[in-house]
Amino acid sequence: MADKRRCVKVYALNDNKQWDDLGTGHVSSTYVERLQGMSLLVHAEPSGTLILESKINPNTPYQKQQGTLIVWSEAQNHGMAISFQDAACCHEIWKTICQVQGKDPSVEITQDLLDESEEEQFENSPETFELHDLPNCELGQLQQIAELVTSAFTSSTRKERLALVLENEDYIKKLLQLFHICENLEDTEGLYHLYEIIKGILLLNKTALLKVMFSDECIMDVVGCLEYDPALAQPKRHREFLTQNAKFKEVIPITNCELRQKIHQTYRVQYIHNILVPIPSMFEDNFLSTLTTFIFFNKVEIVNMLQEDDKFLGEVFAQLRDNTTGDDKRRELLFFFKEFCAFSQTLQPQSKDALFTTLTQLGILPTLKIVMGMSDLQIKSAATDIFTYLVEYSPSMIREYIMKEAQKDEDDNLFINLVIEQMMSDTDPELGGAVHLMELLRSLLDPDNMKATSNKCERSEFLSFFYKYCIHNIIAPLLSTTSEDICEEDNIVGSDKNNKNCLSALRFMRRMIGLKDELYNCYIIKGNLFEPIVNALLDNGTRYNLLNSAIIELFEYIRVENIKPLIAHIVEKFYETLESIEYVQTFKGLKIKYEQEKDRQSQIRKNLRSILYCKIFCESASVLEEKEEVSFKENIEEGEAVKPPLESDIQDQYDKVVETEKTEEDENIDLPKRTSSGSFKFTSSHSAGAANGANNPNYSSMIGLVDYLDDEEKDKEDETSPRKRPHLSS
């Protein structure tokens, strides 16, 4: 199903402005080392040949059309397009493109297209051609350098040329050396210019430049330059915060130096990203896309390094499960793992599959079961957030674990029952935690994300499991508020207080019926769940209140939507009780719907019976005729007497029909009965028949299908010469 969903067609615009079909294949987005960036790949099926390999350029306008088409230009007059079979897959690839370019996925085009004349004007301007060298990196030139960097954002061509000049020289490091000189000299004006220069270089969206600026040698100086925003009265203290306030905690010792350095770098780059938001409107075009991508791939590397460490994650889970681990340590471990799960959202689907398979093998779900049952609110909250990542990623994985767990543990000790208990006992006055857990349960119970294969139906299996092991925990509060003891305490049957306790249960029932799900309807009928509703209506008496209206609306909905199984169940079981309610026509309407459906089914059976009778009798007649002709010819040749055909030829065919059909008491036509003479009798109470036999109450019409002789006539016939019985067709 996943392969089918990712199926696409690739098109290229030819010189005649016509779209050429390059082939069909499966699309993916991944980092290509050779291209130094995220790329779109399409491999042909079934050969696996590469049809498309296109780097997602931060400056290229991509456009999404009709929800299933992405169009862009690889070069001048070289348009490309991918047509998706599935809109969800199109949106997934679109999100990747927008992530690289730092755009909101809700947009339909990622870049504003410049007017051609405007672009030509920028390209042909003298300043553009003169941008081969930057001014010398000196204190006296900082203002000119700042103006040059700012002016480059008026054209994409100028930005590209500025980036090339900065890449070819060791210019950034020289600028950062000037930063130390300006600080030592307390040169405020120079520091303001450096802020504009460094900020502009960050917004050029060039990976090569970012690698230099975010190196261990330069990154803290870059942060220092960003402290001197001319719009602020006093400089910010970003470096002080990063070096003194922000403390790196190793919940498990990290022995990999490269991993530790990558974690430090990612935190600091994320901090720089936050400094630059919000930014002036002139920079909105390519808003921090490469910076975002840099952080994105750093997170991917961190997750992969941790996953490849055979001992690290195993030690995390071991300490979380250890009873001797203190709450402070356990809290830090969970906070770390929560951030690890957040980082893992950046992985591609295949890598994410491998990660969560590893986590499952390490026992993440049993571990979460332990920590979610603890009293510390921060621990429970962090564990719930981690559980959310797992449910969002693969609800089927969670369902499979829960059902396997039921084979080992008692009902009340199941993980899902623990989640239900946490939902019920939420101490938050606003029920924030309860609502969160309710959404997770709803996702687990959603039939739309349940898988169905040729040998397994997850929907049927899990819902059956849930109703057997879990539903009693969910409805326990409802039952406790509607118990007989509470009703007795109210001392008034059907009182308004008791009615308020019932409304929640009624809304739940209404929501189930509104789904029009056959499986739910079967459970409703099997569990006789309408009985308490009917009793509540009767106990409410003549009161015209919210409970009365809600119950009437429930039955009216069933009537209007013509939910046949429920209509039949209500009428057959409760109509005699509800028949006396006449202030609404709902129940009479249900009876009418029931009778109409019953008549329709009866007419269908009659029509089928008539067709079957006609078909079988006609076939029997034809067979008898053929047998008689063959027998007659053979006997003439052999000089033997012609024997009458057996009655069983017709009777056997008739019996097969009678065995498969059931007659109803209210039908007007009875099944035919064979008489002693071998004929078949149809007893009819129709008006025509009654008129012909009005004087005889036992009147019946006789239809002789085969004119068999009685016993006396047979004896006489044996004494005379043999003769052939009349044909059915005669």
Side-chain angles (χ1 to χ4, degrees):
M1 289 299 295
D3 288 345
K4 185 177 180 182
R5 195 172 69 85
R6 302 186 74 83
C7 188
V8 299
K9 272 186 172 293
V10 181
Y11 299 91
L13 192 67
N14 60 29
D15 295 334
N16 297 324
K17 304 297 182 182
Q18 300 294 321
W19 289 100
D20 293 332
D21 186 351
L22 300 185
T24 303
H26 292 104
V27 66
S28 62
S29 58
T30 187
Y31 184 82
V32 177
E33 187 69 29
R34 180 173 54 81
L35 299 178
Q36 290 292 303
M38 284 291 289
S39 303
L40 299 178
L41 305 178
V42 178
H43 290 88
E45 52 178 356
S47 63
T49 306
L50 189 64
I51 298 177
L52 175 70
E53 185 183 56
S54 174
K55 179 182 176 181
I56 301 174
N57 193 316
N59 301 316
T60 297
Y62 288 79
Q63 188 172 10
K64 186 171 70 168
Q65 301 176 3
Q66 304 171 5
T68 56
L69 188 68
I70 295 178
V71 182
W72 74 98
S73 179
E74 290 279 351
Q76 188 175 5
N77 299 326
H78 185 62
M80 298 296 297
I82 300 179
S83 177
F84 293 76
Q85 181 173 318
D86 183 77
C89 180
C90 179
H91 185 65
E92 181 180 327
I93 296 297
W94 182 252
K95 285 199 299 183
T96 302
I97 294 171
C98 291
Q99 188 174 37
V100 171
Q101 296 201 343
K103 298 293 182 180
D104 188 331
S106 63
V107 301
E108 296 293 331
I109 184 168
T110 60
Q111 307 286 340
D112 292 326
L113 299 174
L114 285 175
D115 181 76
E116 289 185 6
S117 59
E118 184 183 359
E119 183 70 22
E120 290 176 2
Q121 178 184 349
F122 284 130
E123 289 182 355
N124 296 329
S125 63
E127 293 87 349
T128 302
F129 293 105
E130 292 174 1
L131 188 58
H132 299 295
D133 296 306
L134 288 169
N136 292 332
C137 203
E138 300 172 355
L139 289 177
Q141 301 290 337
L142 286 177
Q143 181 176 356
Q144 183 182 352
I145 298 170
E147 291 174 354
L148 187 61
V149 171
T150 303
S151 65
F153 286 88
T154 56
S155 164
S156 58
T157 303
R158 301 184 72 180
K159 286 196 299 183
E160 293 289 335
R161 295 189 179 181
L162 174 61
L164 286 173
V165 173
L166 289 170
E167 288 177 18
N168 293 334
E169 301 180 22
D170 207 11
Y171 204 82
I172 294 175
K173 292 182 178 180
K174 294 178 181 178
L175 285 171
L176 296 176
Q177 290 174 2
L178 288 180
F179 167 70
H180 288 287
I181 295 174
C182 288
E183 273 205 319
N184 292 334
L185 296 175
E186 297 183 356
D187 183 356
T188 306
E189 195 69 24
L191 292 170
Y192 287 162
H193 291 319
L194 282 168
Y195 170 87
E196 298 292 349
I197 294 168
I198 295 300
K199 182 177 178 181
I201 295 174
L202 287 170
L203 294 170
L204 285 174
N205 273 326
K206 293 300 176 183
T207 305
L209 300 180
L210 294 182
K211 286 182 176 179
V212 175
M213 300 176 80
F214 297 154
S215 64
D216 289 343
E217 179 185 355
C218 299
I219 190 167
M220 292 306 292
D221 291 338
V222 170
V223 172
C225 290
L226 295 175
E227 293 179 355
Y228 294 94
D229 185 349
L232 300 177
Q234 294 293 329
K236 290 288 187 178
R237 296 181 177 274
H238 298 313
R239 287 171 292 176
E240 181 180 324
F241 174 82
L242 289 175
T243 56
Q244 298 181 22
N245 296 42
K247 299 296 182 182
F248 177 63
K249 295 182 180 180
E250 296 186 47
V251 292
I252 302 291
I254 297 176
T255 57
N256 187 332
C257 296
E258 183 183 358
L259 173 59
R260 187 187 294 107
Q261 184 274 335
K262 189 68 67 175
I263 293 172
H264 284 303
Q265 184 190 56
T266 304
Y267 180 81
R268 291 166 181 171
V269 173
Q270 185 72 59
Y271 187 84
I272 291 173
H273 180 278
N274 295 337
I275 294 173
L276 298 177
V277 179
I279 60 173
S281 59
M282 66 175 294
F283 297 123
E284 288 179 358
D285 187 21
N286 293 316
F287 170 55
L288 298 178
S289 60
T290 307
L291 184 59
T292 304
T293 305
F294 189 95
I295 297 170
F296 174 89
F297 286 113
N298 264 23
K299 291 180 178 180
V300 171
E301 287 187 52
I302 291 170
V303 172
N304 288 335
M305 287 181 185
L306 289 172
Q307 185 181 355
E308 291 168 1
D309 191 322
D310 297 332
K311 299 179 180 179
F312 189 87
L313 291 177
E315 182 64 24
V316 171
F317 290 134
Q319 291 198 24
L320 284 172
R321 290 191 293 263
D322 191 345
N323 293 330
T324 62
T325 303
D327 285 350
D328 291 340
K329 179 67 172 179
R330 184 175 278 110
R331 196 180 301 115
E332 290 177 359
L333 287 165
L334 280 172
F335 288 163
F336 160 77
F337 195 71
K338 175 183 172 181
E339 190 169 4
F340 174 79
C341 289
F343 277 25
S344 70
Q345 302 305 301
T346 61
L347 296 176
Q348 294 296 311
Q350 290 183 343
S351 301
K352 196 180 291 185
D353 288 343
L355 172 62
F356 279 91
T357 299
T358 301
L359 295 179
T360 304
Q361 293 171 349
L362 291 171
I364 184 171
L365 290 172
T367 303
L368 286 178
K369 180 180 176 182
I370 293 171
V371 294
M372 284 184 72
M374 295 182 173
S375 58
D376 188 284
L377 293 179
Q378 287 185 311
I379 289 177
K380 287 201 293 188
S381 176
T384 301
D385 290 338
I386 295 169
F387 184 56
T388 302
Y389 285 120
L390 299 178
V391 172
E392 289 176 350
Y393 168 70
S394 178
S396 292
M397 180 185 75
I398 306 298
R399 286 190 283 261
E400 183 179 1
Y401 167 78
I402 290 170
M403 287 189 288
K404 286 182 178 178
E405 187 188 28
Q407 301 172 5
K408 306 174 184 177
D409 295 336
E410 298 179 359
D411 297 2
D412 294 335
N413 196 35
L414 297 177
F415 188 9
I416 191 168
N417 283 333
L418 173 64
V419 173
I420 294 171
E421 190 274 330
Q422 296 281 340
M423 181 180 70
M424 298 296 186
S425 60
D426 185 17
T427 57
D428 182 3
E430 297 182 358
L431 299 178
V435 172
H436 188 180
L437 291 171
M438 182 189 69
E439 291 298 328
L440 296 180
L441 284 175
R442 179 182 293 178
S443 181
L444 291 174
L445 292 169
D446 185 1
D448 292 337
N449 64 33
M450 295 183 183
K451 298 177 181 177
T453 60
S454 57
N455 57 357
K456 180 181 179 181
C457 181
E458 186 181 26
R459 174 178 174 178
S460 176
E461 286 185 14
F462 186 75
L463 291 181
S464 297
F465 158 85
F466 187 80
Y467 279 106
K468 180 178 180 181
Y469 293 100
C470 311
I471 194 66
H472 61 279
N473 291 320
I474 287 184
I475 65 174
L478 300 177
L479 295 177
S480 65
T481 57
T482 57
S483 64
E484 293 182 2
D485 294 338
I486 291 178
C487 292
E488 290 174 0
E489 289 174 7
D490 292 339
N491 205 23
I492 301 176
V493 177
S495 68
D496 289 338
K497 180 179 178 182
N498 192 40
N499 290 347
K500 290 177 182 177
N501 291 330
C502 299
L503 227 53
S504 297
L506 188 62
R507 287 201 304 270
F508 180 69
M509 180 78 160
R510 174 64 175 81
R511 191 68 179 267
M512 277 200 302
I513 293 174
L515 294 174
K516 299 181 185 177
D517 189 291
E518 293 181 6
L519 187 62
Y520 285 133
N521 291 342
C522 288
Y523 276 112
I524 290 170
I525 294 171
K526 183 179 178 181
N528 195 21
L529 301 185
F530 278 106
E531 183 173 350
I533 294 177
V534 172
N535 290 338
L537 179 63
L538 297 176
D539 292 343
N540 193 57
T542 58
R543 294 181 183 85
Y544 182 63
N545 52 19
L546 185 60
L547 177 64
N548 176 277
S549 299
I551 294 176
I552 294 298
E553 190 279 333
L554 174 67
F555 286 111
E556 181 66 15
Y557 176 81
I558 295 170
R559 184 192 70 80
V560 172
E561 296 297 325
N562 197 19
I563 306 176
K564 296 181 178 64
L566 297 184
I567 291 175
H569 174 69
I570 293 167
V571 172
E572 291 172 359
K573 194 168 182 66
F574 303 107
Y575 185 70
E576 291 183 2
T577 305
L578 301 171
E579 183 177 21
S580 60
I581 298 177
E582 296 183 345
Y583 59 86
V584 291
Q585 299 300 308
T586 297
F587 301 107
K588 289 185 178 179
L590 287 170
K591 177 70 171 176
I592 292 171
K593 291 275 189 183
Y594 173 76
E595 294 295 343
Q596 289 174 346
E597 179 64 17
K598 189 175 179 181
D599 291 342
R600 191 178 73 86
Q601 294 295 334
S602 176
Q603 188 60 45
I604 291 173
R605 285 194 294 271
K606 288 179 183 178
N607 294 341
L608 288 174
R609 189 180 298 116
S610 299
I611 293 170
L612 286 171
Y613 287 162
C614 179
K615 180 176 176 64
I616 291 174
F617 290 147
C618 289
E619 288 179 353
S620 299
S622 176
V623 171
L624 284 174
E625 185 175 352
E626 291 177 1
K627 285 185 178 180
E628 288 175 355
E629 290 179 357
V630 172
S631 177
F632 182 73
K633 290 178 181 179
E634 290 176 350
N635 290 334
I636 290 177
E637 292 174 358
E638 297 175 4
E640 297 179 358
V642 179
K643 296 181 180 180
L646 297 175
E647 298 177 4
S648 60
D649 290 337
I650 294 180
Q651 182 62 28
D652 289 345
Q653 296 292 333
Y654 172 75
D655 289 342
K656 291 178 181 178
V657 178
V658 173
E659 288 173 2
T660 58
E661 297 290 336
K662 293 183 179 179
T663 60
E664 298 183 0
E665 294 179 2
D666 59 342
E667 289 184 4
N668 294 326
I669 300 178
D670 296 328
L671 290 174
K673 301 177 182 178
R674 189 165 62 87
T675 65
S676 60
S677 64
S679 303
F680 289 86
K681 179 171 75 175
F682 284 83
T683 305
S684 175
S685 60
H686 290 289
S687 59
N692 292 334
N695 297 327
N696 183 3
N698 296 322
Y699 169 80
S700 63
S701 60
M702 304 295 292
I703 303 176
L705 294 178
V706 182
D707 189 15
Y708 291 110
L709 301 174
D710 57 24
D711 294 338
E712 293 179 359
E713 291 175 337
K714 282 185 180 180
D715 294 338
K716 292 180 181 179
E717 184 180 7
D718 291 340
E719 297 174 359
T720 61
S721 58
R723 92 184 144 79
K724 183 176 178 291
R725 180 172 300 152
H727 286 248
L728 287 172
S729 59
S730 61

